[in-house]
Amino acid sequence: MRSLEDLEREGGETVSSEELASRGHTTAAQVRKDLSHFGSFGKRGLGYRVEELRERLRQILGVDRVWRVALIGAGRIGSALFEYPAFESRGYEYVAVVDSDPAKVGNVWGELRIRSPDELESLIGDLGVELVILAVPAHAAQEMAERAVGAGIKGILNFAPIRLKVPPDVPVEDVNLVMQLEALSFLITQRGSSSP
Amino acid sequence: MRSLEDLEREGGETVSSEELASRGHTTAAQVRKDLSHFGSFGKRGLGYRVEELRERLRQILGVDRVWRVALIGAGRIGSALFEYPAFESRGYEYVAVVDSDPAKVGNVWGELRIRSPDELESLIGDLGVELVILAVPAHAAQEMAERAVGAGIKGILNFAPIRLKVPPDVPVEDVNLVMQLEALSFLITQRGSSSP
DNA sequence: TTGTGTGAATCCCTTCACAGCG
DNA sequence: CGCTGTGAAGGGATTCACACAA
């Protein structure tokens, strides 16, 4: 099978659903079904043109543009995220960092100065923030979320271990590390004792 | 509705599936169905005894004991995780930290000294490590995972943005931040253009 | 009467299988 | 012939609805 790098080079080449499936730990039927939801741009007998597929996927995933994101919370998790290289390379650009700690406000991260939460709404409005990454303690998360939504953001990546209450038209992705660890514990525990 | 704190105090009290549902963003039927998989310990006309329910859940989730975890990767994400207070309070105990950077090996984090990856297998064996948190770059993740599995760990919480290949009896929970951001972008993008 | 436990109905996602296009 | 696109089948999870226990 060709490597990812090979595919990158072969702009005019094609990939089969079979080949895509083996990359993504899924099945060929699954790949075809998924892609068919967004139109039919494969060639029968050939597969999918790599170049076209890539472009379509970029559109479908919404990564064919730069998303402007505000990081709320400049603690440990916030700083790890800010340095996380994969975000920038995938088209997510931090345009603001906010923290409630007065000792942090004014510090410079990269090209940004950490701002006070007081400024949240104006930052979102002025900078055209679309996505918010919430990396604050649980007790502060709901308020920040509501204010961000009120200011017009379109989605939230939530690291706080609570279920945010936001209008249904604002998607929230929860990154609940404790729940994921507990899911692991559950799977491991269940494995041994399969009879109730 | 009662607050979580109220419930904590009311050891002899009961909760209905209705009440649990509204807390967990789910439905009453769902709660009952889920719980029924593990036996029937609710009282008809009353609900679930809070004390008993808590105990059962602890058993079911496997959090009625301390899990010994090794942190592989002491970079930004690793350090954020190491300090993440929720893990310790939920019964996860770091017993080893490993990093391949010679400048970090020997540094002391909390009560632990950062170890070289060379020692991975012996650490896992000697310390009875059950869970591994993988917070290393993508290119190192597969090797570390295989070695950890070979040394007998039971589950992996994976922060590397790749699909790990491990035996099917070793559960892996992926924390793929890029994918979660892309899921958000996808949802937002789809919202506007619902007709293909 | 209240609220569980659970079959039955429903929904959604995955897999199968194959007609038909290139 | 090879491989897509898609109807049909299958399966797991969610929802409904109600008998019945406390």
Side-chain angles (χ1 to χ4, degrees), chain A residues 76 83 90 92 182 185, chain B residues 76 83 90 92 182 185:
Chain A
R76 288 208 160 260
E83 304 283 335
R90 293 298 200 100
Y92 299 93
E182 285 180 354
S185 311
Chain B
R76 288 208 160 258
E83 303 283 335
R90 292 298 200 98
Y92 299 93
E182 285 181 355
S185 312

Side-chain angles (χ1 to χ4, degrees), chain B residues 136-168:
Chain B
V136 298
H139 64 84
Q142 181 62 39
E143 187 204 329
M144 286 296 116
E146 284 171 15
R147 289 177 50 193
V149 169
I153 55 104
K154 302 210 188 75
I156 299 175
L157 185 62
N158 173 42
F159 282 80
I162 64 164
R163 189 73 70 152
L164 296 176
K165 293 200 182 63
V166 297

Side-chain angles (χ1 to χ4, degrees), chain A:
Chain A
M1 196 181 73
R2 288 169 291 173
S3 74
L4 198 64
E5 286 66 35
D6 289 339
L7 284 177
E8 297 278 344
R9 275 184 235 106
E10 298 168 10
E13 278 301 313
T14 60
V15 230
S16 67
S17 53
E18 192 70 59
E19 200 162 352
L20 290 168
S22 74
R23 273 177 219 294
H25 265 220
T26 175
T27 66
Q30 189 65 55
V31 167
R32 294 203 299 277
K33 187 68 106 180
D34 286 351
L35 290 177
S36 73
H37 289 320
F38 303 100
S40 58
F41 42 94
K43 295 280 171 286
R44 303 188 177 202
L46 281 174
Y48 301 85
R49 287 222 352 270
V50 173
E51 193 51 47
E52 182 181 6
L53 179 59
R54 199 200 319 275
E55 187 50 34
R56 295 289 196 126
L57 285 178
R58 291 174 64 84
Q59 288 167 13
I60 292 168
L61 289 175
V63 294
D64 57 337
R65 65 193 207 60
V66 174
W67 291 88
R68 302 170 69 77
V69 357
L71 176 62
I72 306 186
R76 288 208 160 260
I77 291 180
S79 80
L81 293 172
F82 190 78
E83 304 283 335
Y84 193 56
F87 282 168
E88 191 169 18
S89 67
R90 293 298 200 100
Y92 299 93
E93 181 192 7
Y94 290 109
V95 296
V97 180
V98 164
D99 198 287
S100 64
D101 182 350
K104 284 185 183 145
V105 172
N107 286 2
V108 174
W109 277 15
E111 317 209 311
L112 299 176
R113 214 163 44 77
I114 297 179
R115 305 305 199 88
S116 155
D118 298 343
E119 305 179 61
L120 186 62
E121 285 85 353
S122 58
L123 287 168
I124 290 173
D126 297 349
L127 300 172
V129 172
E130 299 157 298
L131 254 38
V132 150
I133 298 184
L134 253 190
V136 299
H139 64 84
Q142 180 62 40
E143 186 203 331
M144 287 295 114
E146 283 171 14
R147 288 178 50 194
V149 169
I153 56 104
K154 302 210 188 76
I156 300 175
L157 185 63
N158 173 41
F159 282 81
I162 64 164
R163 189 72 70 154
L164 296 176
K165 290 198 182 67
V166 297
D169 60 314
V170 178
V172 175
E173 278 287 318
D174 289 304
V175 182
N176 193 326
L177 302 177
V178 169
M179 279 192 90
Q180 296 207 45
L181 255 191
E182 285 180 354
L184 258 189
S185 311
F186 172 76
L187 290 168
I188 297 170
T189 306
Q190 248 39 39
R191 200 169 300 285
S193 57
S194 37
S195 55

Side-chain angles (χ1 to χ4, degrees), chain B residues 115-182:
Chain B
R115 305 304 199 90
S116 155
D118 298 344
E119 305 179 62
L120 186 62
E121 285 84 354
S122 59
L123 286 168
I124 290 173
D126 296 349
L127 300 171
V129 171
E130 299 157 298
L131 253 38
V132 150
I133 298 183
L134 254 190
V136 298
H139 64 84
Q142 181 62 39
E143 187 204 329
M144 286 296 116
E146 284 171 15
R147 289 177 50 193
V149 169
I153 55 104
K154 302 210 188 75
I156 299 175
L157 185 62
N158 173 42
F159 282 80
I162 64 164
R163 189 73 70 152
L164 296 176
K165 293 200 182 63
V166 297
D169 60 314
V170 178
V172 174
E173 279 285 321
D174 288 303
V175 182
N176 192 327
L177 301 177
V178 170
M179 281 192 85
Q180 296 207 44
L181 258 191
E182 285 181 355

